[in-house]
Amino acid sequence: NIALDVVTHNLYVTDFNRHLMRMDASGNATVIYEGNMDFAGIAVSPDGKNLFISNNALGTIIKTNIDGSNASIFTTGLITPRNIIFDNRGQMYVASCPSSVYAIAANGAATHAVNDPSFQGLEIAKDTSGNFYQADHFSNVIRMIDSKGNVSVIAGSGVASDIDGIGLQAAFNGPQGLTIDSHGNLYVTTFNYDTRGGNKVRKITFE
């Protein structure tokens, strides 16, 4: 996973192994922290002072200083935590399969923010209206959970293929990574581990 520090423009990368790497704007890369397998998500805190790393195997979130020092366990007891996001109010959320989404408090306590038992994916995003989006890898669709908890498929027919189109007429071949920009557009990376297909970045716009 990757996270960008918007102040320094440093990029932070986990390798789904045990390494956290920092890459500066010139492309110089350095491993700044090593822990236990399997690192999955990475996020920069809203104040730019800390990094948060999810461990997919151990069900934990590690907190470090922005330079990778002073690592400590921040949250435990999560089920397959994946990507970590902060919303526009500074609230932390973590994707989980099959629990869907955890909300993480300032003291590290975890609660279920939304629950979608059908979610079989890896990553989430959240817009400024409070809607969550899910990249459902194994169902090959993109879901939305609105602010009232209603779940709906907004894109993808369920067929494992990369086909452009509107809503359910489109298709995704193993949707995996997911992020949202300041205009509300979604970006989805795809990869099918069985067929080695996908390997694309898809854009979803709302009209």
Side-chain angles (χ1 to χ4, degrees):
N1 213 301
I2 59 175
L4 177 68
D5 185 332
V6 296
V7 176
T8 65
H9 295 166
N10 288 330
L11 190 69
Y12 297 91
V13 184
T14 59
D15 61 1
F16 207 65
N17 194 298
R18 58 192 296 265
H19 306 101
L20 170 63
M21 183 174 67
R22 179 182 61 214
M23 182 180 296
D24 65 24
S26 299
N28 300 306
T30 306
V31 173
I32 61 172
Y33 176 67
E34 293 187 43
N36 298 307
M37 294 177 67
D38 300 308
F39 284 170
I42 175 73
V44 179
S45 63
D47 61 9
K49 295 181 180 180
N50 299 105
L51 297 170
F52 294 90
I53 312 157
S54 65
N55 188 302
N56 181 74
L58 299 180
T60 59
I61 295 176
I62 301 296
K63 179 180 179 180
T64 76
N65 291 344
I66 196 67
D67 61 359
S69 64
N70 293 326
S72 62
I73 295 177
F74 184 67
T75 303
T76 61
L78 305 181
I79 301 173
T80 59
R82 303 294 295 209
N83 77 313
I84 303 171
I85 62 172
F86 286 92
D87 68 10
N88 58 330
R89 295 177 296 179
Q91 172 64 55
M92 180 193 293
Y93 296 97
V94 183
S96 169
C97 176
S99 302
S100 189
V101 182
Y102 288 106
I104 310 297
N107 63 358
T111 57
H112 288 296
V114 294
N115 188 26
D116 177 11
S118 61
F119 180 49
Q120 302 181 79
L122 306 176
E123 298 204 9
I124 58 169
K126 186 176 186 238
D127 65 22
T128 55
S129 297
N131 302 307
F132 286 96
Y133 301 90
Q134 303 170 320
D136 196 316
H137 180 77
F138 294 101
S139 298
N140 296 300
V141 298
I142 307 302
R143 286 194 177 89
M144 181 179 78
I145 306 175
D146 67 22
S147 57
K148 297 180 180 179
N150 300 308
V151 182
S152 60
V153 174
I154 61 167
S157 63
V159 176
S161 182
D162 285 306
I163 299 173
D164 291 343
I166 297 174
L168 306 189
Q169 298 173 9
F172 296 86
N173 198 356
Q176 186 158 311
L178 183 66
T179 193
I180 190 167
D181 68 15
S182 59
H183 300 289
N185 300 307
L186 290 171
Y187 297 86
V188 185
T189 60
T190 65
F191 184 70
N192 188 314
Y193 289 91
D194 294 326
T195 66
R196 319 302 288 182
N199 285 311
K200 293 179 173 63
V201 178
R202 308 288 297 283
K203 181 180 180 180
I204 301 174
T205 60
F206 297 88
E207 299 177 354

